[in-house]
């Protein structure tokens, strides 16, 4: 009983900032400060050890670091704002520093620029459609932002249709705006999603897990039967298969796979493959 | 006697362009600064020490696209939606090897084909400027190639 109390007291009293490098992969809580690699050298190990001699003490070469979702800039350090595991990605080409972010889990989506989402058209007013994307406000979608749309040639979009598009404007001060074309003017798979199928909601973390490049779940699901899936970064998944039963099986698998271990998953898939 | 006494010219006159051509650069700069002072005294400003903006080396981004390499959101399996499958191949291939793809897509026209095109081009453009009588020279034979131009028929004088 004494341990947790002392740990908490220590934390509140001193709260020494930890080096980001040492905390990678561990759970971090909101309010923690993290030191970037260049800073920890200067701080020294608590002042007790010897400072290493550096040739140019004044000019420290600093690299650009990107702080991703769950982190904020606080002076020279990173401040954690969401609880989750700290992750880091090395820079691929040249411009250094890499990306730090917190792998957190939540169900509520906040619109972010560049995200591809599934929206439901709720209203048609004048030249724009109001699309519900699960955020605090419905996003606006202009009728000209479809491939091959002109003032005379309007897209065939009705209230209640499903739209797959991306955000061009998404910040806390303005209403989010989305489009269904890319910067070249091509649809690239965006636009109205076809008839039938089933739309259901999952957590945001699951979407990212399923869209990871080496996701086994998607590969195994793809071997079952012909199907089509659309993932929206706002936690919505649309699935369609040949029969209603197959569609429902698919939806159940995707919802449940968040909490299953890989063994349980393999069992279920083998059972399905038999039947 | 006039050389001893310098005519007193007004400030406005001295500020005019033709009067300043003769001055050297230093006096010009001094004049400019004086002018600026006059203007800036009327402008309001904050009497604070100059704040040096700290160059920040940390960039904030709220998007997960930078962090994780995510696949494209639309997927189709076992031929359910052929268009989406084509799209999947395009997008995911772009993901893996961008440079190799660029090289294979560029189709060069071979030299022989170029020469052939130019041969026929002469005929086709020539047709545009030929008069009705000359259209006979531009008839196409079975292959669609233009026949070589025949010798022009001259006026033959009737022999009695």
């Amino acid at each position: 009983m004494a341990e947790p109390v002392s740990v908490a007291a220590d934390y509140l009293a001193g709260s020494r900032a930890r080096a980001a490098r040492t905390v990678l992969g561990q759970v971090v809580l909101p309010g923690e400060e993290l030191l970037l690699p260049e800073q920890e050298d200067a701080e020294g190990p608590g002042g007790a050890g010897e400072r290493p001699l550096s040739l140019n003490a004044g000019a420290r070469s600093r690299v650009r670091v990107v702080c991703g979702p769950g982190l904020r800039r606080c002076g020279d350090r990173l401040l954690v704002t969401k609880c989750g595991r700290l992750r880091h990605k090395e820079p691929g080409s040249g411009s250094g520093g890499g990306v730090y972010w917190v792998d957190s889990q939540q169900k509520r989506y906040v619109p972010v620029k560049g995200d591809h989402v599934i929206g439901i058209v709720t209203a048609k007013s004048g030249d724009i459609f109001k699309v519900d994307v699960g955020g605090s406000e419905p996003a606006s979608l202009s009728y000209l932002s479809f491939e091959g749309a002109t003032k005379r040639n309007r897209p065939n979009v009705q209230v209640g249709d499903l739209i797959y598009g991306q955000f061009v404007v998404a910040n806390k001060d303005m209403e989010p705006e989305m489009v269904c074309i890319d910067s070249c003017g091509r649809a690239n798979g965006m636009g109205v999603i076809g008839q039938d199928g089933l739309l259901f909601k999952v957590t945001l973390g699951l979407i990212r897990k399923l869209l990871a490049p080496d996701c086994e779940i998607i590969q195994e699901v793809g071997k079952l039967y012909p199907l089509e899936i659309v993932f929206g970064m706002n936690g919505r998944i649309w699935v369609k298969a040949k029969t209603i039963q197959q569609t429902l099986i698919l939806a159940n698998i995707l919802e449940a796979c968040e909490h299953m271990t890989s063994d349980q998953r393999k069992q279920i898939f083998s059972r399905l493959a038999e039947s | 006697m006039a050389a001893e006494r310098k005519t007193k010219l007004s400030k406005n006159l001295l500020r005019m362009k033709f009067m300043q051509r003769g001055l050297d650069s230093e006096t010009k700069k001094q004049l400019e600064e004086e002018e600026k002072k006059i203007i800036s005294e009327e402008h309001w400003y904050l009497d604070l020490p100059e704040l040096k903006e700290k160059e920040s080396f940390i960039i904030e981004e709220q998007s997960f696209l930078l962090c994780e390499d995510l696949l494209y959101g639309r997927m189709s399996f076992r031929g359910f939606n052929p268009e989406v499958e084509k799209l999947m191949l395009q997008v995911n291939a772009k993901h893996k090897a961008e440079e190799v793809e660029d090289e294979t897509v560029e189709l060069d026209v071979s030299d022989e084909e170029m020469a052939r095109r130019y041969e026929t081009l002469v005929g086709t453009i020539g047709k545009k400027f030929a008069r009705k009588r000359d259209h006979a020279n531009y008839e196409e034979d079975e292959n669609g190639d233009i026949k070589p131009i025949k010798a022009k028929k001259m006026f033959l004088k009737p022999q009695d």
Side-chain angles (χ1 to χ4, degrees):
Chain A
M1 282 303 285
E3 259 195 10
V5 177
S6 64
V7 165
D10 197 9
Y11 188 73
L12 288 170
S15 68
R16 279 185 305 267
R18 296 190 279 175
R21 229 175 27 190
T22 56
V23 194
L24 284 180
Q26 293 177 34
V27 173
V28 289
L29 296 173
E32 282 188 22
E33 287 193 5
L34 300 171
L35 294 170
L36 291 174
E38 314 97 35
Q39 283 141 12
E40 48 176 273
D41 299 334
E43 304 259 327
E50 294 166 16
R51 292 258 165 112
L53 284 172
S54 55
L55 287 172
N56 43 351
R60 234 173 283 136
S61 62
R62 318 199 72 177
V63 281
R64 294 211 143 203
V65 169
V66 179
C67 77
L71 293 172
R72 273 182 171 259
R73 183 167 63 93
C74 165
D76 274 346
R77 306 170 176 190
L78 297 176
L79 184 67
V80 179
T81 54
K82 291 211 175 114
C83 47
R85 288 186 192 260
L86 186 69
R87 304 267 187 228
H88 175 61
K89 179 173 128 173
E90 292 296 326
S93 54
S95 65
V99 193
Y100 287 93
W101 77 93
V102 175
D103 203 356
S104 63
Q105 180 67 289
Q106 62 181 54
K107 296 190 101 181
R108 164 71 62 178
Y109 177 67
V110 173
V112 167
K113 182 173 165 178
D115 264 3
H116 292 257
V117 292
I118 299 180
I120 308 173
V121 179
T122 53
K124 216 164 142 172
S125 67
D127 288 342
I128 57 167
F129 302 109
K130 287 283 177 206
V131 180
D132 165 44
V133 292
S136 56
E137 282 183 280
S140 71
L141 169 64
S142 162
Y143 76 94
L144 289 171
S145 354
F146 287 86
E147 189 177 12
T150 57
K151 286 198 182 145
R152 301 272 177 91
N153 178 19
R154 291 180 177 233
N156 187 11
V157 177
Q158 306 303 325
V159 171
D161 278 354
L162 292 176
I163 302 266
Y164 187 62
Q166 62 177 345
F167 286 113
V168 285
V169 170
N171 50 43
K172 61 181 165 77
D173 304 312
M174 293 163 63
E175 176 193 51
E177 292 174 24
M178 59 188 282
V179 291
C180 290
I181 52 173
D182 63 4
S183 50
C184 304
R186 284 177 299 198
N188 241 359
M190 295 188 271
V192 180
I193 298 176
Q195 296 292 315
D196 307 327
L198 176 68
L199 180 77
F200 57 97
K201 199 165 176 345
V202 294
T203 55
L204 307 187
L206 179 64
I207 301 274
R208 279 183 277 123
K209 183 168 132 184
L210 291 172
L211 284 179
D214 51 355
C215 179
E216 297 166 352
I217 306 172
I218 295 294
Q219 289 164 10
E220 287 174 33
V221 153
K223 292 182 201 152
L224 287 175
Y225 35 72
L227 49 91
E228 191 185 346
I229 319 181
V230 180
F231 294 98
M233 295 295 286
N234 53 346
R236 292 182 181 167
I237 304 183
W238 180 84
V239 293
K240 183 174 172 188
K242 290 226 168 97
T243 66
I244 296 182
Q245 196 186 31
Q246 287 177 346
T247 312
L248 288 173
I249 292 174
L250 190 50
N252 285 332
I253 294 177
L254 290 174
E255 277 175 335
C257 70
E258 189 175 3
H259 302 291
M260 287 196 288
T261 62
S262 51
D263 294 328
Q264 288 170 331
R265 211 176 56 221
K266 286 185 184 138
Q267 272 177 24
I268 294 195
F269 275 113
S270 52
R271 254 195 287 157
L272 273 174
E274 286 163 30
S275 63
Chain B
M1 299 306 152
E4 288 171 12
R5 190 177 57 102
K6 258 192 183 164
T7 44
K8 284 247 168 100
L9 297 168
S10 70
K11 241 192 289 174
N12 281 329
L13 197 57
L14 288 170
R15 243 184 261 152
M16 291 194 178
K17 271 279 165 152
F18 65 89
M19 295 298 286
Q20 297 200 350
R21 270 186 233 144
L23 298 173
D24 51 348
S25 55
E26 278 180 19
T27 30
K28 266 193 206 167
K29 275 188 203 163
Q30 275 180 15
L31 283 171
E32 266 182 44
E33 276 175 28
E34 278 176 32
E35 276 227 37
K36 274 193 197 161
K37 255 199 222 166
I38 296 168
I39 298 171
S40 65
E41 270 168 18
E42 292 170 356
H43 288 179
W44 294 8
Y45 59 92
L46 288 172
D47 200 6
L48 293 173
E50 220 181 81
L51 293 168
K52 242 198 300 175
E53 198 190 302
K54 289 188 200 166
E55 201 183 332
S56 63
F57 291 87
I58 307 177
I59 311 169
E60 277 188 27
E61 291 275 349
Q62 287 302 315
S63 165
F64 273 106
L65 290 175
L66 278 181
C67 311
E68 304 175 28
D69 242 351
L70 297 176
L71 296 174
Y72 189 61
R74 265 196 112 142
M75 300 183 187
S76 157
F77 296 100
R78 297 180 70 163
F80 196 76
N81 191 337
E83 288 164 9
V84 175
E85 298 214 358
K86 244 195 287 173
L87 202 70
M88 273 173 78
L89 290 173
Q90 270 180 12
V91 175
N92 292 330
K94 233 193 274 178
H95 230 258
K96 288 174 190 171
E98 273 179 88
E99 291 140 21
V100 178
E101 290 288 316
D102 281 352
E103 284 174 26
T104 51
V105 165
E106 277 181 59
L107 288 172
D108 270 315
V109 182
S110 67
D111 294 335
E112 285 171 12
E113 225 191 299
M114 277 287 276
R116 243 182 290 143
R117 294 273 171 213
Y118 266 118
E119 236 173 44
T120 52
L121 195 66
V122 173
T124 44
I125 296 293
K127 247 199 268 186
K128 193 174 167 187
F129 298 105
R131 280 171 275 136
K132 223 171 176 180
R133 286 168 194 271
D134 297 335
H135 276 186
N137 296 341
Y138 287 98
E139 278 168 20
E140 295 181 342
D141 56 353
E142 321 89 58
N143 292 341
D145 297 326
I146 309 264
K147 281 195 298 196
I149 298 170
K150 293 182 279 196
K152 259 189 171 170
K153 290 185 177 165
M154 294 294 293
F155 175 68
L156 289 173
K157 201 168 173 186
Q159 298 165 341
D160 287 335

